[in-house]
Every structure is written in C-alpha cells, then in structure tokens.
Amino acid sequence: MPASLIRGVRVSAWRWRLAAGAVALALVSAAQAQLAVRDDRGATLRMSAPPQRIVSLLPSLTESVCALGACARLVGVDRFSNWPGSVRGLPKLGGIDDAQIERIVALRPDVVLVSSSARIVDRLEALGLKVLVLDSRDHADVQRSLIAIARLLGTPSEAERVWAVIERETQAAVERVPPALRGRRVYFEVDTTPFAAGAGSFIGETLTRLGLANAVPVELGPFPQLNPEFVLRAQPDIVMAVRPALAEMPRRPGWPALRALREGRTCGFASDRYELLVRPGPRMGEAAGVIADCLVAITARDAATKAPR
Amino acid sequence: MTATDARRRRRLAIGLALATLVLLVAGLAAGSDGWSLPDLARTWAGPDGALIVGQIRAPRTLGAWLTGALLGLAGAIAQGLFRNPLADPYLLGSASGASLGVVLLLAASASGGHAIGLATADTLARIGLVGAAFGGALLGVLLTLTLARGAQQTTRLLLAGVVVGVMLAAASDLVTSAVPEALRGKQAFLLGSTGYLGWGSCAALAVGLALTLPPSWRLARALDALTLGADTATSLGVALPKVRVALVGAIALATGLAVSQAGLIAFVGLVAPHLVRRFAPARNGFALLASAAAGGTLLLLADVLARSLIAPREVPVGVLTALLGGGYLVWLLHRRRVA
C-alpha cells in the first residue's frame, strides 16, 4: 500500500469522526432545546432528558406532578404534602423555611420543584441541583404550573387533559349551585384572628366561578386581617370556615347577631375538606364541588325549616 | 419631693385622665369604616347601633384600657421590686409559660381525632385559649419561684425567670416544629390582639385590676423603703419576704390575666413606668397608679390606631405597642445623649 493512500484513509477517518461528533453534538443540543422550561422567576431550566427523580417542596406542586401521572417519579416531598395517599410514604423533607437540604441532596433529584417564596432556591442551585420555581396563588398559576410541569415531564399534552378535568368538575359544581343562592355574599374565614379570603384570593376566585359574591371586596387584598366589626356590618349571607372556627364564632363578642350564623346558613368544613379548598392545585375542581355540596345542604335545611308541619 | 415635682405629678395625672377620656370616645368612634365622630352618631342611631357600639366597640375599648392597665401596673411593681428599670412583667416566665400553654392547646386540637379522644377535645375547647394561657402563665411563674427558692433573692429570681423563659420558649418551639399546624394560631397570640375583647373579658380584667391594684398600692411604702436597700428596708420594719411574695403574686395574676385575654402585648409593661418616672418623679404609690393609667392609655391608643390606620383591615396591636413603646425609648436614649 503506497504511503499516500494510507495517509488518505487516515485523513478520511479523522474527517468522519469529526462529522459524527458534530452530529452527536447537534442531537444532544436538540434534546436539550426540547426540554427547556421557563419558570415563574423567568429562569430557563434546561435538561437533557425528562427528570426521573423529582423532589417537590409544595403540596400543590406534589399534587400536580401526581395528577400529570408522574407520581412514581417523586422521591421526596415537603411535610405538608399528603395527597394522593401514595406520597405519604415518601421521605418528608421539611417545609418551605426549614427544608432539609442535606437530605434533599442525598436523594440526588434531577429536579426540585419549589414555590417562589422558598428561601432555599439559591442554596440548592449552589449545590448543583436543578430547581424549578413555580407560584401557586391563583387559578391562572395552577394552569401555568401544570403546563410547565407537564413539559418538564416530557408529556406536554397531559396538562390539557388535567385542565379539562378541572374545568369539567368546576362546571358540574357551578350547575349544582341552587339558583336561590346565586349572587349571595360569602364570608370565608381562613384564620380566627380574623383573616378572610377576599375576592382576589384563590378561594375568592372559586367562589366567583360558582356565581357567589364575596363579603370582602377585592381591594382589601387576598387575605386581609379584618376588624371583626366589619364582618358584622357586612352581614354576609353565608359564612364558611373550618369546622372548629365556625363552632367558636357565636362566642365572639357581638357575633351571635350574624344572621347567617343564627339561621344556619353556614359551611363548616372538616379539616381535610378545608385543606382541599385552600390549596391551589389540580383538585380545585373537586374543591368547587365541596362548596356546591354545602350550598345544596343549606338549601335543603332552609326548605326543612320552612316546610309546614 | 419638691413643689415642682408635685405640680408635675398633678399635671401627669390630669394629662392621663384627659387622654383616657378622649381615647375612650375615640375608641367608640373607631370602627371598620375608620375613625369618624359624625359616623359614631350615625352608627349609634342606625339599626345595628346597640350591637356595633354596645357589644363590640365599647367592651373592646374598655378591655384594651384594662389590659394595658394590668400590664402597666405589673411593670411598675416589677421595676420597683427588682430595683431594675429594665424589669418587665413578662420577666418571671409568665409570657413563655402562657405561649407554651396556647401552643400545647393548638397542637392538641390540630392533631385532634388522632391522638386524643373526642371528649378530651371538647374539654380542651371549653377551657379554651384563655384558660391555657392563664394556666401556662401561672405554671411559668411557679417554676421560676421554685427554681429561685422563693422570692427572697432578687438576682436569683431574675436569673430563674430568664432561664425558665428560655426553656419554656424552647419547649413551645419544639411543639410547633413537631405540629406545624399550631404555628398559625401561635403567631396571632404572640402579636397580641384586642379584637375579640367582649364584656366577659372586661369583667375578668376588671376583677383582676381590683384584686391587684389596692394591695399593691398598700405595699408601695415597702417598695419605697426597698429603694434604700434590702437591709435598710428590713431595719425599717418591712417584712420583706411577705411583701415579695405578695407582689410577685400580684405580677403573676395581672400578667396572666392580661395575656390570657389579649395575647403577648409587647412593651406596655416596660414603657408605662418609664413614662411616669420621666414626667413626674414620685414615690411608688403614685408611680403604681400612674403606671396603670399610662399602660391603659398606651394600649388604648395603640388599639384605636390598629383599628383606624388601614380600616377595615387591622394592624396587629402588638406591633403598634412595640413601635410606640420602642420609639419612645429610642427618643429617650437620643435625648439623653444630646443632653
């Protein structure tokens, strides 16, 4: 074999390797581009493949991951995540303010889902973890989070399916609201101090969807701490709260004069139902159903008291 | 005690009385629409007048004054008894005891159904936060007294109070980290709240003031003797151990009641006696009465502001007392430096 030929073969082999390398590089970057998810702080998260090990540090994000069919990929959750039942057995990694960074790192997650109020984002990123920051405050946040998580999971169409279920459940709840109660003003208490859910809050949005009015106007903010007198003067048509708080209301000064309390136009939610109501996540359609159930029960009670004996 | 001092005392007494009167009216006029006198007339004449003014604003206003008075009185006794201007009614472990009681109750009701039976939960609900806070405050003070082996030695008592305070606070932090649901209610309690003071609370607070103010006033002469030192006081014929026990008991009762009705309201007990001493140097008898009045005035002012600043929303009243009281102390320090 002449020397020139040998050199030619060597050169072509080198060229071929170079070309193959370039193609591989292009393929990898194409995959990366496929998995670029923008989060709520404006950062873009790039991943070479859909994450297989996920840590969620917010109950509503945990629920979203599961609703999108990826519950099995969760390897750890915050201490408040309790739905669906399968997440109860996962390692509990603390809360937003006291997350156990060491345990999170030890779980080697491909991605960590957190809310924007979490202080640990910088710490986790400094330790080399990928972090997706998502707000969950209102209905629009829930939809945006679902879309972002579904894209991250590599199943973008799942978001539409889950959102359609939420819409269907909500619509069914809307139709069950007794006509006599449409437009009634609701006082929804979230803390006995008293803090209320205003019209601008997540719960307020659900109430609006159900055709109810809010005793706390939107300009007071999502969860204002109110002067108790305000509630009495507003004389809401319906009072909603977690059951123990509702039971305690008649003992507050002046509150026995609330007509809604006297006439039993109240919704006292059991604590697991209440949790469902205040959690902006994929179960918000079910939450609308819980409120509709209570409204139906109020109408039934009203009818029973008015019925001639 | 010169003639100028007497005049200043008279002026302070009149000033406090006037401020109280004005604030009582302001308290009736401050509601969820903000602060307005013409509105008071309209509300009173309206269909809900008796309810809004009679059942909510009146007891809240009076209750805030009484709570402040109890804290001011307890602070004045503590500062006289411990001969320390930094002494605070919460010093004997009552504050941390009360918050531990509240946290335990909240934790028990949060985990209710799982850990405790229904009957227990019902009993707990009936005792309520008031009982838990009062019981906790008493427990804190008793622990402090046990650790200090009575109230004889001032330094020992102060140290014991600090230690008990830190330990009980750590215990309640431990409970909240185990049962995070208890945290929200604890927050409201720690910030203090005058929003739900009704006539029942007013009655309890008034009884507390009636039980603590007259005996403390009678023991004020012993506090005067104590300013000359414990030995001198004893040689002047003061039965020091008895006086100490009685006054520590008064501090515990006054603080426990105030805390149980309105939560941990900051700074009133510390600042009210300072305010009185600053404006009118006086013997302990006058100082006790004036501190009670000053405490009442201060807390009522904070309460009226809490209601009217961003009505119908509220500012936590404890935040305002800390701002008003802390601001006053800063101003005092600044003036001293300038002088």
Side-chain angles (χ1 to χ4, degrees):
Chain A
M1 207 183 275
S4 62
L5 192 65
I6 294 173
R7 207 175 64 228
V9 170
R10 275 200 189 137
V11 167
S12 69
W14 181 77
R15 273 189 185 154
W16 188 85
R17 272 185 213 148
L18 194 70
V23 168
L25 205 70
L27 278 176
V28 168
S29 52
Q32 273 175 344
Q34 224 171 29
L35 256 182
V37 182
R38 235 176 123 75
D39 71 7
D40 284 345
R41 61 189 161 149
T44 307
L45 183 72
R46 289 175 204 284
M47 297 193 84
S48 48
Q52 297 305 312
R53 300 177 61 81
I54 303 174
V55 161
S56 161
L57 293 180
L58 197 71
S60 52
L61 297 179
T62 305
E63 295 188 8
S64 293
V65 170
C66 288
L68 292 164
C71 220
R73 297 199 217 168
L74 286 171
V75 291
V77 291
D78 69 296
R79 72 163 71 86
F80 298 106
S81 286
N82 54 4
W83 188 92
S86 62
V87 305
R88 290 201 185 124
L90 291 173
K92 298 269 180 232
L93 306 170
I96 287 176
D97 293 322
D98 60 343
Q100 299 159 5
I101 294 189
E102 202 178 306
R103 285 183 72 199
I104 297 175
V105 172
L107 285 168
R108 291 177 293 105
D110 299 327
V111 69
V112 181
L113 307 178
V114 297
S115 68
S116 55
S117 50
R119 290 184 304 173
I120 50 153
V121 177
D122 291 341
R123 193 82 200 93
L124 290 172
E125 287 189 329
L127 289 165
L129 292 176
K130 305 227 176 206
V131 180
L132 192 69
V133 178
L134 294 170
D135 283 322
S136 325
R137 278 193 286 266
D138 53 33
H139 287 205
D141 284 343
V142 173
Q143 188 172 20
R144 213 178 44 251
S145 296
L146 280 171
I147 292 172
I149 296 174
R151 285 189 60 189
L152 182 74
L153 294 170
T155 53
S157 59
E158 278 293 278
E160 274 169 51
R161 182 188 62 81
V162 173
W163 188 253
V165 172
I166 292 173
E167 275 298 307
R168 201 169 55 238
E169 285 170 344
T170 308
Q171 199 49 45
V174 170
E175 280 156 22
R176 277 175 39 230
V177 173
L181 293 184
R182 295 229 171 97
R184 294 303 183 93
R185 285 173 317 120
V186 175
Y187 167 68
F188 192 113
E189 188 173 283
V190 289
D191 191 88
T192 53
T193 312
F195 281 89
S201 67
F202 166 75
I203 303 159
E205 283 182 321
T206 304
L207 293 173
T208 309
R209 247 336 262 287
L210 289 169
L212 297 165
N214 203 313
V216 179
V218 71
E219 48 292 1
L220 293 184
F223 297 104
Q225 179 177 8
L226 294 169
N227 186 334
E229 183 187 315
F230 174 85
V231 183
L232 280 179
R233 302 186 98 179
Q235 280 292 353
D237 299 312
I238 303 167
V239 172
M240 299 183 182
V242 68
R243 205 171 279 163
L246 189 69
E248 174 245 4
M249 280 180 194
R251 290 202 289 275
R252 299 177 187 170
W255 284 50
L258 271 183
R259 277 193 292 278
L261 289 185
R262 269 209 317 265
E263 292 164 12
R265 291 165 170 273
T266 55
C267 297
F269 302 108
S271 60
D272 60 326
R273 302 282 83 188
Y274 177 76
E275 205 172 76
L276 176 67
L277 289 171
V278 298
R279 197 176 275 183
R283 290 192 291 160
M284 59 193 232
E286 198 184 333
V290 168
I291 295 180
D293 286 343
C294 167
L295 297 176
V296 170
I298 287 179
T299 316
R301 279 202 296 274
D302 271 1
T305 48
K306 273 181 202 148
R309 304 214 163 178
Chain B
M1 300 286 151
T2 60
T4 342
D5 284 348
R7 207 162 48 235
R8 293 175 83 176
R9 282 199 296 278
R10 205 160 44 237
R11 222 183 294 159
L12 179 69
I14 294 171
L16 284 174
L18 275 180
T20 300
L21 277 178
V22 168
L23 284 169
L24 284 174
V25 176
L28 290 180
S32 55
D33 292 338
W35 193 91
S36 149
L37 266 182
D39 240 29
L40 172 62
R42 215 168 322 136
T43 308
W44 181 244
D48 285 337
L51 171 72
I52 299 288
V53 180
Q55 291 296 313
I56 296 184
R57 290 186 193 173
R60 178 176 181 165
T61 304
L62 190 62
W65 193 89
L66 287 169
T67 307
L70 281 172
L71 289 173
L73 173 68
I77 300 174
Q79 292 182 7
L81 185 61
F82 302 129
R83 282 179 287 157
N84 186 338
L86 277 179
D88 178 278
Y90 295 155
L91 205 67
L92 295 174
S94 54
S96 44
S99 62
L100 178 62
V102 166
V103 164
L104 280 176
L105 183 84
L106 291 172
S109 57
S111 56
H114 304 294
I116 49 172
L118 257 181
T120 328
D122 193 47
T123 317
L124 282 178
R126 215 167 286 159
I127 299 171
L129 291 181
V130 173
F134 189 63
L138 277 187
L139 175 85
V141 173
L142 284 180
L143 262 178
T144 304
L145 287 177
T146 317
L147 200 62
R149 300 200 200 112
Q152 276 76 25
Q153 282 175 290
T154 306
T155 321
R156 211 186 154 85
L157 192 62
L158 281 177
L159 273 177
V162 171
V163 170
V164 167
V166 170
M167 302 270 293
L168 292 183
S172 81
D173 285 345
L174 202 65
V175 174
T176 47
S177 65
V179 188
E181 288 85 354
L183 201 61
R184 255 193 348 185
K186 183 191 177 187
Q187 186 73 14
F189 176 78
L190 288 182
L191 286 177
S193 157
T194 40
Y196 291 131
L197 291 172
W199 286 118
S201 306
C202 284
L205 291 165
V207 168
L209 199 59
L211 283 178
T212 48
L213 191 55
S216 318
W217 191 67
R218 276 180 42 207
L219 290 176
R221 295 194 69 108
L223 285 179
D224 290 337
L226 202 57
T227 53
L228 303 170
D231 293 340
T232 317
T234 314
S235 72
L236 284 173
V238 176
L240 221 39
K242 271 189 201 162
V243 168
R244 281 199 173 114
V245 168
L247 289 178
V248 166
I251 294 174
L253 184 63
T255 320
L257 256 175
V259 165
S260 70
Q261 299 300 325
L264 293 181
I265 287 173
F267 262 122
V268 174
L270 182 66
V271 168
H274 270 279
L275 211 78
V276 169
R277 268 203 304 276
R278 171 86 196 153
F279 280 102
R283 287 180 206 280
N284 278 293
F286 176 83
L288 290 183
L289 293 180
S291 297
T297 311
L298 188 62
L299 185 52
L300 182 51
L301 173 66
D303 177 49
V304 170
L305 287 178
R307 285 186 255 169
S308 32
L309 281 180
I310 49 168
R313 305 181 58 179
E314 277 201 35
V315 185
V317 74
V319 172
L320 283 176
T321 57
L323 276 177
L324 287 173
Y328 170 71
L329 285 183
V330 166
W331 177 72
L332 211 63
L333 282 172
H334 177 71
R335 278 198 45 159
R336 286 226 175 124
R337 204 172 50 223
V338 171

